[in-house]
PDB file of all heavy atoms in Angstrom:
ATOM      1  N   THR U   7     170.501-132.579 123.734  1.00  0.00           N
ATOM      2  CA  THR U   7     170.866-133.772 122.967  1.00  0.00           C
ATOM      3  C   THR U   7     169.971-133.942 121.739  1.00  0.00           C
ATOM      4  O   THR U   7     170.454-134.187 120.626  1.00  0.00           O
ATOM      5  CB  THR U   7     170.762-135.032 123.850  1.00  0.00           C
ATOM      6  OG1 THR U   7     171.642-134.898 124.960  1.00  0.00           O
ATOM      7  CG2 THR U   7     171.113-136.286 123.070  1.00  0.00           C
ATOM      8  N   GLY U   8     168.663-133.798 121.956  1.00  0.00           N
ATOM      9  CA  GLY U   8     167.699-134.054 120.890  1.00  0.00           C
ATOM     10  C   GLY U   8     167.718-133.045 119.766  1.00  0.00           C
ATOM     11  O   GLY U   8     167.262-133.346 118.658  1.00  0.00           O
ATOM     12  N   THR U   9     168.225-131.835 120.045  1.00  0.00           N
ATOM     13  CA  THR U   9     168.282-130.799 119.003  1.00  0.00           C
ATOM     14  C   THR U   9     169.718-130.517 118.551  1.00  0.00           C
ATOM     15  O   THR U   9     169.960-129.531 117.846  1.00  0.00           O
ATOM     16  CB  THR U   9     167.661-129.485 119.508  1.00  0.00           C
ATOM     17  OG1 THR U   9     168.435-128.983 120.612  1.00  0.00           O
ATOM     18  CG2 THR U   9     166.214-129.682 119.945  1.00  0.00           C
ATOM     19  N   ASN U  10     170.655-131.379 118.972  1.00  0.00           N
ATOM     20  CA  ASN U  10     172.078-131.178 118.635  1.00  0.00           C
ATOM     21  C   ASN U  10     172.576-129.802 119.068  1.00  0.00           C
ATOM     22  O   ASN U  10     173.351-129.152 118.348  1.00  0.00           O
ATOM     23  CB  ASN U  10     172.309-131.380 117.128  1.00  0.00           C
ATOM     24  CG  ASN U  10     172.028-132.799 116.690  1.00  0.00           C
ATOM     25  OD1 ASN U  10     172.440-133.751 117.340  1.00  0.00           O
ATOM     26  ND2 ASN U  10     171.308-132.951 115.575  1.00  0.00           N
ATOM     27  N   GLY U  11     172.088-129.368 120.217  1.00  0.00           N
ATOM     28  CA  GLY U  11     172.548-128.101 120.768  1.00  0.00           C
ATOM     29  C   GLY U  11     171.843-126.879 120.246  1.00  0.00           C
ATOM     30  O   GLY U  11     172.200-125.745 120.609  1.00  0.00           O
ATOM     31  N   ASP U  12     170.841-127.067 119.391  1.00  0.00           N
ATOM     32  CA  ASP U  12     170.124-125.909 118.835  1.00  0.00           C
ATOM     33  C   ASP U  12     169.202-125.257 119.870  1.00  0.00           C
ATOM     34  O   ASP U  12     168.885-124.074 119.759  1.00  0.00           O
ATOM     35  CB  ASP U  12     169.296-126.330 117.612  1.00  0.00           C
ATOM     36  CG  ASP U  12     170.168-126.641 116.404  1.00  0.00           C
ATOM     37  OD1 ASP U  12     171.350-126.247 116.412  1.00  0.00           O
ATOM     38  OD2 ASP U  12     169.666-127.289 115.465  1.00  0.00           O
ATOM     39  N   VAL U  13     168.738-126.050 120.854  1.00  0.00           N
ATOM     40  CA  VAL U  13     167.904-125.505 121.935  1.00  0.00           C
ATOM     41  C   VAL U  13     168.648-125.691 123.248  1.00  0.00           C
ATOM     42  O   VAL U  13     168.988-126.816 123.626  1.00  0.00           O
ATOM     43  CB  VAL U  13     166.531-126.205 121.999  1.00  0.00           C
ATOM     44  CG1 VAL U  13     165.728-125.678 123.188  1.00  0.00           C
ATOM     45  CG2 VAL U  13     165.752-125.989 120.710  1.00  0.00           C
ATOM     46  N   ILE U  14     168.899-124.598 123.928  1.00  0.00           N
ATOM     47  CA  ILE U  14     169.615-124.618 125.206  1.00  0.00           C
ATOM     48  C   ILE U  14     168.667-124.121 126.292  1.00  0.00           C
ATOM     49  O   ILE U  14     168.151-122.998 126.212  1.00  0.00           O
ATOM     50  CB  ILE U  14     170.869-123.719 125.173  1.00  0.00           C
ATOM     51  CG1 ILE U  14     171.814-124.181 124.069  1.00  0.00           C
ATOM     52  CG2 ILE U  14     171.576-123.747 126.533  1.00  0.00           C
ATOM     53  CD1 ILE U  14     172.359-125.585 124.228  1.00  0.00           C
ATOM     54  N   ILE U  15     168.437-124.965 127.300  1.00  0.00           N
ATOM     55  CA  ILE U  15     167.537-124.608 128.400  1.00  0.00           C
ATOM     56  C   ILE U  15     168.341-124.281 129.645  1.00  0.00           C
ATOM     57  O   ILE U  15     169.205-125.059 130.068  1.00  0.00           O
ATOM     58  CB  ILE U  15     166.548-125.749 128.700  1.00  0.00           C
ATOM     59  CG1 ILE U  15     165.550-125.909 127.562  1.00  0.00           C
ATOM     60  CG2 ILE U  15     165.805-125.498 130.007  1.00  0.00           C
ATOM     61  CD1 ILE U  15     164.504-126.989 127.788  1.00  0.00           C
ATOM     62  N   THR U  16     168.057-123.145 130.234  1.00  0.00           N
ATOM     63  CA  THR U  16     168.619-122.772 131.524  1.00  0.00           C
ATOM     64  C   THR U  16     167.552-122.994 132.585  1.00  0.00           C
ATOM     65  O   THR U  16     166.453-122.439 132.491  1.00  0.00           O
ATOM     66  CB  THR U  16     169.055-121.296 131.542  1.00  0.00           C
ATOM     67  OG1 THR U  16     170.053-121.099 130.526  1.00  0.00           O
ATOM     68  CG2 THR U  16     169.622-120.917 132.900  1.00  0.00           C
ATOM     69  N   VAL U  17     167.852-123.823 133.584  1.00  0.00           N
ATOM     70  CA  VAL U  17     166.894-124.155 134.630  1.00  0.00           C
ATOM     71  C   VAL U  17     167.031-123.179 135.790  1.00  0.00           C
ATOM     72  O   VAL U  17     168.144-122.924 136.276  1.00  0.00           O
ATOM     73  CB  VAL U  17     167.099-125.598 135.134  1.00  0.00           C
ATOM     74  CG1 VAL U  17     166.114-125.926 136.249  1.00  0.00           C
ATOM     75  CG2 VAL U  17     166.950-126.586 133.985  1.00  0.00           C
ATOM     76  N   GLU U  18     165.936-122.624 136.236  1.00  0.00           N
ATOM     77  CA  GLU U  18     165.904-121.734 137.393  1.00  0.00           C
ATOM     78  C   GLU U  18     165.149-122.395 138.539  1.00  0.00           C
ATOM     79  O   GLU U  18     164.096-122.995 138.329  1.00  0.00           O
ATOM     80  CB  GLU U  18     165.220-120.406 137.054  1.00  0.00           C
ATOM     81  CG  GLU U  18     166.025-119.514 136.135  1.00  0.00           C
ATOM     82  CD  GLU U  18     165.372-118.152 135.944  1.00  0.00           C
ATOM     83  OE1 GLU U  18     164.261-117.941 136.468  1.00  0.00           O
ATOM     84  OE2 GLU U  18     165.977-117.309 135.270  1.00  0.00           O
ATOM     85  N   GLU U  19     165.694-122.257 139.743  1.00  0.00           N
ATOM     86  CA  GLU U  19     165.005-122.770 140.920  1.00  0.00           C
ATOM     87  C   GLU U  19     163.790-121.905 141.220  1.00  0.00           C
ATOM     88  O   GLU U  19     163.753-120.715 140.909  1.00  0.00           O
ATOM     89  CB  GLU U  19     165.944-122.759 142.131  1.00  0.00           C
ATOM     90  CG  GLU U  19     165.334-123.351 143.385  1.00  0.00           C
ATOM     91  CD  GLU U  19     166.283-123.321 144.572  1.00  0.00           C
ATOM     92  OE1 GLU U  19     167.360-122.723 144.451  1.00  0.00           O
ATOM     93  OE2 GLU U  19     165.916-123.882 145.619  1.00  0.00           O
ATOM     94  N   SER U  20     162.788-122.518 141.818  1.00  0.00           N
ATOM     95  CA  SER U  20     161.553-121.819 142.168  1.00  0.00           C
ATOM     96  C   SER U  20     161.102-122.265 143.548  1.00  0.00           C
ATOM     97  O   SER U  20     161.458-123.345 144.025  1.00  0.00           O
ATOM     98  CB  SER U  20     160.473-122.138 141.135  1.00  0.00           C
ATOM     99  OG  SER U  20     159.186-121.822 141.622  1.00  0.00           O
ATOM    100  N   GLN U  21     160.291-121.432 144.175  1.00  0.00           N
ATOM    101  CA  GLN U  21     159.717-121.791 145.470  1.00  0.00           C
ATOM    102  C   GLN U  21     158.372-122.486 145.325  1.00  0.00           C
ATOM    103  O   GLN U  21     157.750-122.845 146.316  1.00  0.00           O
ATOM    104  CB  GLN U  21     159.576-120.537 146.343  1.00  0.00           C
ATOM    105  CG  GLN U  21     160.904-119.912 146.710  1.00  0.00           C
ATOM    106  CD  GLN U  21     161.863-120.903 147.344  1.00  0.00           C
ATOM    107  OE1 GLN U  21     161.551-121.511 148.368  1.00  0.00           O
ATOM    108  NE2 GLN U  21     163.037-121.061 146.761  1.00  0.00           N
ATOM    109  N   GLY U  22     157.929-122.667 144.076  1.00  0.00           N
ATOM    110  CA  GLY U  22     156.672-123.370 143.884  1.00  0.00           C
ATOM    111  C   GLY U  22     155.917-122.900 142.660  1.00  0.00           C
ATOM    112  O   GLY U  22     156.288-121.921 141.994  1.00  0.00           O
ATOM    113  N   SER U  23     154.827-123.591 142.374  1.00  0.00           N
ATOM    114  CA  SER U  23     154.067-123.332 141.155  1.00  0.00           C
ATOM    115  C   SER U  23     153.417-121.953 141.133  1.00  0.00           C
ATOM    116  O   SER U  23     153.272-121.352 140.070  1.00  0.00           O
ATOM    117  CB  SER U  23     152.997-124.411 140.974  1.00  0.00           C
ATOM    118  OG  SER U  23     153.580-125.674 140.794  1.00  0.00           O
ATOM    119  N   VAL U  24     153.005-121.444 142.303  1.00  0.00           N
ATOM    120  CA  VAL U  24     152.393-120.107 142.326  1.00  0.00           C
ATOM    121  C   VAL U  24     153.385-119.073 141.811  1.00  0.00           C
ATOM    122  O   VAL U  24     153.046-118.204 140.996  1.00  0.00           O
ATOM    123  CB  VAL U  24     151.906-119.741 143.746  1.00  0.00           C
ATOM    124  CG1 VAL U  24     151.457-118.278 143.799  1.00  0.00           C
ATOM    125  CG2 VAL U  24     150.755-120.651 144.164  1.00  0.00           C
ATOM    126  N   GLN U  25     154.632-119.161 142.272  1.00  0.00           N
ATOM    127  CA  GLN U  25     155.661-118.249 141.785  1.00  0.00           C
ATOM    128  C   GLN U  25     155.870-118.410 140.283  1.00  0.00           C
ATOM    129  O   GLN U  25     155.988-117.417 139.550  1.00  0.00           O
ATOM    130  CB  GLN U  25     156.988-118.491 142.511  1.00  0.00           C
ATOM    131  CG  GLN U  25     158.111-117.578 142.023  1.00  0.00           C
ATOM    132  CD  GLN U  25     159.470-117.932 142.614  1.00  0.00           C
ATOM    133  OE1 GLN U  25     159.582-118.785 143.478  1.00  0.00           O
ATOM    134  NE2 GLN U  25     160.514-117.283 142.125  1.00  0.00           N
ATOM    135  N   ASN U  26     155.889-119.652 139.824  1.00  0.00           N
ATOM    136  CA  ASN U  26     156.095-119.912 138.395  1.00  0.00           C
ATOM    137  C   ASN U  26     155.039-119.228 137.538  1.00  0.00           C
ATOM    138  O   ASN U  26     155.338-118.594 136.524  1.00  0.00           O
ATOM    139  CB  ASN U  26     156.053-121.420 138.124  1.00  0.00           C
ATOM    140  CG  ASN U  26     157.205-122.166 138.757  1.00  0.00           C
ATOM    141  OD1 ASN U  26     158.089-121.563 139.350  1.00  0.00           O
ATOM    142  ND2 ASN U  26     157.190-123.477 138.632  1.00  0.00           N
ATOM    143  N   VAL U  27     153.773-119.391 137.946  1.00  0.00           N
ATOM    144  CA  VAL U  27     152.668-118.796 137.197  1.00  0.00           C
ATOM    145  C   VAL U  27     152.708-117.274 137.310  1.00  0.00           C
ATOM    146  O   VAL U  27     152.508-116.564 136.316  1.00  0.00           O
ATOM    147  CB  VAL U  27     151.310-119.340 137.688  1.00  0.00           C
ATOM    148  CG1 VAL U  27     150.159-118.679 136.932  1.00  0.00           C
ATOM    149  CG2 VAL U  27     151.236-120.852 137.528  1.00  0.00           C
ATOM    150  N   MET U  28     152.987-116.792 138.510  1.00  0.00           N
ATOM    151  CA  MET U  28     153.012-115.339 138.736  1.00  0.00           C
ATOM    152  C   MET U  28     154.035-114.670 137.822  1.00  0.00           C
ATOM    153  O   MET U  28     153.796-113.576 137.293  1.00  0.00           O
ATOM    154  CB  MET U  28     153.342-115.048 140.198  1.00  0.00           C
ATOM    155  CG  MET U  28     152.949-113.658 140.664  1.00  0.00           C
ATOM    156  SD  MET U  28     151.155-113.461 140.861  1.00  0.00           S
ATOM    157  CE  MET U  28     150.894-114.283 142.432  1.00  0.00           C
ATOM    158  N   GLU U  29     155.165-115.324 137.605  1.00  0.00           N
ATOM    159  CA  GLU U  29     156.213-114.716 136.788  1.00  0.00           C
ATOM    160  C   GLU U  29     155.851-114.667 135.307  1.00  0.00           C
ATOM    161  O   GLU U  29     156.489-113.953 134.537  1.00  0.00           O
ATOM    162  CB  GLU U  29     157.544-115.448 136.996  1.00  0.00           C
ATOM    163  CG  GLU U  29     158.154-115.170 138.356  1.00  0.00           C
ATOM    164  CD  GLU U  29     159.627-115.555 138.434  1.00  0.00           C
ATOM    165  OE1 GLU U  29     160.266-115.755 137.377  1.00  0.00           O
ATOM    166  OE2 GLU U  29     160.135-115.642 139.560  1.00  0.00           O
ATOM    167  N   ALA U  30     154.837-115.431 134.913  1.00  0.00           N
ATOM    168  CA  ALA U  30     154.379-115.356 133.523  1.00  0.00           C
ATOM    169  C   ALA U  30     153.860-113.962 133.186  1.00  0.00           C
ATOM    170  O   ALA U  30     153.787-113.592 132.007  1.00  0.00           O
ATOM    171  CB  ALA U  30     153.296-116.394 133.270  1.00  0.00           C
ATOM    172  N   MET U  31     153.508-113.180 134.218  1.00  0.00           N
ATOM    173  CA  MET U  31     153.043-111.813 133.993  1.00  0.00           C
ATOM    174  C   MET U  31     154.161-110.912 133.484  1.00  0.00           C
ATOM    175  O   MET U  31     153.913-109.974 132.730  1.00  0.00           O
ATOM    176  CB  MET U  31     152.498-111.223 135.302  1.00  0.00           C
ATOM    177  CG  MET U  31     151.213-111.820 135.813  1.00  0.00           C
ATOM    178  SD  MET U  31     150.663-110.963 137.310  1.00  0.00           S
ATOM    179  CE  MET U  31     150.373-109.299 136.683  1.00  0.00           C
ATOM    180  N   VAL U  32     155.388-111.195 133.926  1.00  0.00           N
ATOM    181  CA  VAL U  32     156.480-110.246 133.672  1.00  0.00           C
ATOM    182  C   VAL U  32     157.606-110.813 132.814  1.00  0.00           C
ATOM    183  O   VAL U  32     158.435-110.044 132.315  1.00  0.00           O
ATOM    184  CB  VAL U  32     157.075-109.749 135.010  1.00  0.00           C
ATOM    185  CG1 VAL U  32     156.034-108.946 135.781  1.00  0.00           C
ATOM    186  CG2 VAL U  32     157.568-110.909 135.864  1.00  0.00           C
ATOM    187  N   ARG U  33     157.642-112.132 132.633  1.00  0.00           N
ATOM    188  CA  ARG U  33     158.721-112.715 131.844  1.00  0.00           C
ATOM    189  C   ARG U  33     158.363-112.673 130.365  1.00  0.00           C
ATOM    190  O   ARG U  33     157.217-112.901 129.974  1.00  0.00           O
ATOM    191  CB  ARG U  33     158.977-114.161 132.271  1.00  0.00           C
ATOM    192  CG  ARG U  33     159.343-114.322 133.741  1.00  0.00           C
ATOM    193  CD  ARG U  33     160.693-113.729 134.075  1.00  0.00           C
ATOM    194  NE  ARG U  33     161.773-114.550 133.604  1.00  0.00           N
ATOM    195  CZ  ARG U  33     162.423-115.430 134.379  1.00  0.00           C
ATOM    196  NH1 ARG U  33     162.091-115.588 135.657  1.00  0.00           N
ATOM    197  NH2 ARG U  33     163.405-116.137 133.877  1.00  0.00           N
ATOM    198  N   SER U  34     159.338-112.398 129.548  1.00  0.00           N
ATOM    199  CA  SER U  34     159.088-112.302 128.108  1.00  0.00           C
ATOM    200  C   SER U  34     159.842-113.406 127.378  1.00  0.00           C
ATOM    201  O   SER U  34     160.674-114.112 127.952  1.00  0.00           O
ATOM    202  CB  SER U  34     159.527-110.928 127.586  1.00  0.00           C
ATOM    203  OG  SER U  34     160.920-110.730 127.838  1.00  0.00           O
ATOM    204  N   GLY U  35     159.549-113.543 126.097  1.00  0.00           N
ATOM    205  CA  GLY U  35     160.283-114.473 125.257  1.00  0.00           C
ATOM    206  C   GLY U  35     160.033-115.923 125.596  1.00  0.00           C
ATOM    207  O   GLY U  35     158.908-116.334 125.893  1.00  0.00           O
ATOM    208  N   ASN U  36     161.107-116.712 125.570  1.00  0.00           N
ATOM    209  CA  ASN U  36     161.001-118.159 125.726  1.00  0.00           C
ATOM    210  C   ASN U  36     161.026-118.564 127.200  1.00  0.00           C
ATOM    211  O   ASN U  36     161.968-119.208 127.674  1.00  0.00           O
ATOM    212  CB  ASN U  36     162.127-118.849 124.953  1.00  0.00           C
ATOM    213  CG  ASN U  36     162.019-118.641 123.464  1.00  0.00           C
ATOM    214  OD1 ASN U  36     160.916-118.519 122.929  1.00  0.00           O
ATOM    215  ND2 ASN U  36     163.143-118.593 122.785  1.00  0.00           N
ATOM    216  N   TYR U  37     159.973-118.190 127.908  1.00  0.00           N
ATOM    217  CA  TYR U  37     159.823-118.550 129.316  1.00  0.00           C
ATOM    218  C   TYR U  37     158.939-119.779 129.410  1.00  0.00           C
ATOM    219  O   TYR U  37     157.801-119.788 128.938  1.00  0.00           O
ATOM    220  CB  TYR U  37     159.189-117.388 130.086  1.00  0.00           C
ATOM    221  CG  TYR U  37     158.863-117.704 131.533  1.00  0.00           C
ATOM    222  CD1 TYR U  37     159.864-118.029 132.435  1.00  0.00           C
ATOM    223  CD2 TYR U  37     157.547-117.675 131.988  1.00  0.00           C
ATOM    224  CE1 TYR U  37     159.564-118.304 133.767  1.00  0.00           C
ATOM    225  CE2 TYR U  37     157.238-117.946 133.311  1.00  0.00           C
ATOM    226  CZ  TYR U  37     158.255-118.261 134.198  1.00  0.00           C
ATOM    227  OH  TYR U  37     157.954-118.536 135.517  1.00  0.00           O
ATOM    228  N   VAL U  38     159.463-120.850 130.005  1.00  0.00           N
ATOM    229  CA  VAL U  38     158.719-122.086 130.227  1.00  0.00           C
ATOM    230  C   VAL U  38     158.660-122.336 131.723  1.00  0.00           C
ATOM    231  O   VAL U  38     159.640-122.094 132.437  1.00  0.00           O
ATOM    232  CB  VAL U  38     159.394-123.283 129.515  1.00  0.00           C
ATOM    233  CG1 VAL U  38     158.671-124.583 129.835  1.00  0.00           C
ATOM    234  CG2 VAL U  38     159.420-123.051 128.005  1.00  0.00           C
ATOM    235  N   PHE U  39     157.521-122.790 132.214  1.00  0.00           N
ATOM    236  CA  PHE U  39     157.395-123.089 133.639  1.00  0.00           C
ATOM    237  C   PHE U  39     156.519-124.308 133.834  1.00  0.00           C
ATOM    238  O   PHE U  39     155.752-124.702 132.945  1.00  0.00           O
ATOM    239  CB  PHE U  39     156.811-121.891 134.403  1.00  0.00           C
ATOM    240  CG  PHE U  39     155.408-121.520 134.018  1.00  0.00           C
ATOM    241  CD1 PHE U  39     154.314-122.025 134.703  1.00  0.00           C
ATOM    242  CD2 PHE U  39     155.167-120.661 132.948  1.00  0.00           C
ATOM    243  CE1 PHE U  39     153.009-121.682 134.348  1.00  0.00           C
ATOM    244  CE2 PHE U  39     153.871-120.302 132.587  1.00  0.00           C
ATOM    245  CZ  PHE U  39     152.788-120.828 133.284  1.00  0.00           C
ATOM    246  N   THR U  40     156.642-124.923 134.994  1.00  0.00           N
ATOM    247  CA  THR U  40     155.820-126.091 135.322  1.00  0.00           C
ATOM    248  C   THR U  40     154.794-125.719 136.383  1.00  0.00           C
ATOM    249  O   THR U  40     155.075-124.948 137.298  1.00  0.00           O
ATOM    250  CB  THR U  40     156.686-127.256 135.821  1.00  0.00           C
ATOM    251  OG1 THR U  40     157.441-126.844 136.974  1.00  0.00           O
ATOM    252  CG2 THR U  40     157.657-127.699 134.741  1.00  0.00           C
ATOM    253  N   SER U  41     153.598-126.286 136.232  1.00  0.00           N
ATOM    254  CA  SER U  41     152.505-125.972 137.152  1.00  0.00           C
ATOM    255  C   SER U  41     151.356-126.942 136.927  1.00  0.00           C
ATOM    256  O   SER U  41     151.184-127.453 135.810  1.00  0.00           O
ATOM    257  CB  SER U  41     152.013-124.541 136.913  1.00  0.00           C
ATOM    258  OG  SER U  41     150.817-124.276 137.637  1.00  0.00           O
ATOM    259  N   PRO U  42     150.536-127.193 137.941  1.00  0.00           N
ATOM    260  CA  PRO U  42     149.262-127.873 137.690  1.00  0.00           C
ATOM    261  C   PRO U  42     148.374-126.994 136.818  1.00  0.00           C
ATOM    262  O   PRO U  42     148.347-125.765 136.998  1.00  0.00           O
ATOM    263  CB  PRO U  42     148.665-128.029 139.099  1.00  0.00           C
ATOM    264  CG  PRO U  42     149.822-127.922 140.032  1.00  0.00           C
ATOM    265  CD  PRO U  42     150.763-126.955 139.391  1.00  0.00           C
ATOM    266  N   PRO U  43     147.654-127.548 135.866  1.00  0.00           N
ATOM    267  CA  PRO U  43     146.781-126.744 134.999  1.00  0.00           C
ATOM    268  C   PRO U  43     145.739-125.945 135.776  1.00  0.00           C
ATOM    269  O   PRO U  43     145.391-124.831 135.381  1.00  0.00           O
ATOM    270  CB  PRO U  43     146.111-127.791 134.095  1.00  0.00           C
ATOM    271  CG  PRO U  43     147.053-128.940 134.082  1.00  0.00           C
ATOM    272  CD  PRO U  43     147.672-128.974 135.448  1.00  0.00           C
ATOM    273  N   GLY U  44     145.250-126.517 136.872  1.00  0.00           N
ATOM    274  CA  GLY U  44     144.229-125.815 137.648  1.00  0.00           C
ATOM    275  C   GLY U  44     144.707-124.488 138.196  1.00  0.00           C
ATOM    276  O   GLY U  44     143.922-123.541 138.334  1.00  0.00           O
ATOM    277  N   LEU U  45     145.989-124.396 138.510  1.00  0.00           N
ATOM    278  CA  LEU U  45     146.547-123.155 139.041  1.00  0.00           C
ATOM    279  C   LEU U  45     146.577-122.077 137.962  1.00  0.00           C
ATOM    280  O   LEU U  45     146.302-120.895 138.230  1.00  0.00           O
ATOM    281  CB  LEU U  45     147.951-123.416 139.577  1.00  0.00           C
ATOM    282  CG  LEU U  45     148.496-122.417 140.604  1.00  0.00           C
ATOM    283  CD1 LEU U  45     147.599-122.345 141.829  1.00  0.00           C
ATOM    284  CD2 LEU U  45     149.914-122.804 141.009  1.00  0.00           C
ATOM    285  N   VAL U  46     146.892-122.485 136.739  1.00  0.00           N
ATOM    286  CA  VAL U  46     146.838-121.539 135.615  1.00  0.00           C
ATOM    287  C   VAL U  46     145.406-121.052 135.415  1.00  0.00           C
ATOM    288  O   VAL U  46     145.162-119.865 135.163  1.00  0.00           O
ATOM    289  CB  VAL U  46     147.378-122.192 134.329  1.00  0.00           C
ATOM    290  CG1 VAL U  46     147.151-121.284 133.122  1.00  0.00           C
ATOM    291  CG2 VAL U  46     148.857-122.513 134.476  1.00  0.00           C
ATOM    292  N   GLY U  47     144.443-121.963 135.565  1.00  0.00           N
ATOM    293  CA  GLY U  47     143.036-121.584 135.448  1.00  0.00           C
ATOM    294  C   GLY U  47     142.633-120.551 136.485  1.00  0.00           C
ATOM    295  O   GLY U  47     141.887-119.605 136.187  1.00  0.00           O
ATOM    296  N   LEU U  48     143.121-120.710 137.717  1.00  0.00           N
ATOM    297  CA  LEU U  48     142.833-119.721 138.765  1.00  0.00           C
ATOM    298  C   LEU U  48     143.414-118.362 138.387  1.00  0.00           C
ATOM    299  O   LEU U  48     142.758-117.325 138.573  1.00  0.00           O
ATOM    300  CB  LEU U  48     143.427-120.181 140.100  1.00  0.00           C
ATOM    301  CG  LEU U  48     142.754-121.370 140.794  1.00  0.00           C
ATOM    302  CD1 LEU U  48     143.515-121.739 142.058  1.00  0.00           C
ATOM    303  CD2 LEU U  48     141.297-121.058 141.126  1.00  0.00           C
ATOM    304  N   ALA U  49     144.638-118.361 137.853  1.00  0.00           N
ATOM    305  CA  ALA U  49     145.266-117.097 137.455  1.00  0.00           C
ATOM    306  C   ALA U  49     144.491-116.414 136.341  1.00  0.00           C
ATOM    307  O   ALA U  49     144.297-115.189 136.345  1.00  0.00           O
ATOM    308  CB  ALA U  49     146.704-117.357 137.008  1.00  0.00           C
ATOM    309  N   GLN U  50     144.009-117.199 135.393  1.00  0.00           N
ATOM    310  CA  GLN U  50     143.280-116.632 134.258  1.00  0.00           C
ATOM    311  C   GLN U  50     141.906-116.112 134.653  1.00  0.00           C
ATOM    312  O   GLN U  50     141.290-115.352 133.910  1.00  0.00           O
ATOM    313  CB  GLN U  50     143.167-117.680 133.149  1.00  0.00           C
ATOM    314  CG  GLN U  50     144.513-117.998 132.513  1.00  0.00           C
ATOM    315  CD  GLN U  50     144.457-119.134 131.516  1.00  0.00           C
ATOM    316  OE1 GLN U  50     143.568-119.987 131.591  1.00  0.00           O
ATOM    317  NE2 GLN U  50     145.393-119.164 130.578  1.00  0.00           N
TER     318      GLN U  50
END
């Protein structure tokens, strides 16, 4: 709505934040995920 259709988001189900962060290793391009910041810190 806010971009008049210029940005289209496809939502994917996940089993949790660990999976979300783990996939950042292999996903390319416009990959967005949700996670507590502390979990990203552990990964880094």
Side-chain angles (χ1 to χ4, degrees):
T7 300
T9 63
N10 296 315
D12 288 344
V13 176
I14 301 298
I15 291 182
T16 300
V17 179
E18 289 186 356
E19 183 180 7
S20 163
Q21 295 307 302
S23 296
V24 172
Q25 179 187 354
N26 294 356
V27 178
M28 200 73 78
E29 288 196 16
M31 291 183 63
V32 295
R33 301 292 285 263
S34 59
N36 295 328
Y37 174 63
V38 176
F39 64 93
T40 58
S41 171
L45 202 59
V46 172
L48 289 177
Q50 292 174 336

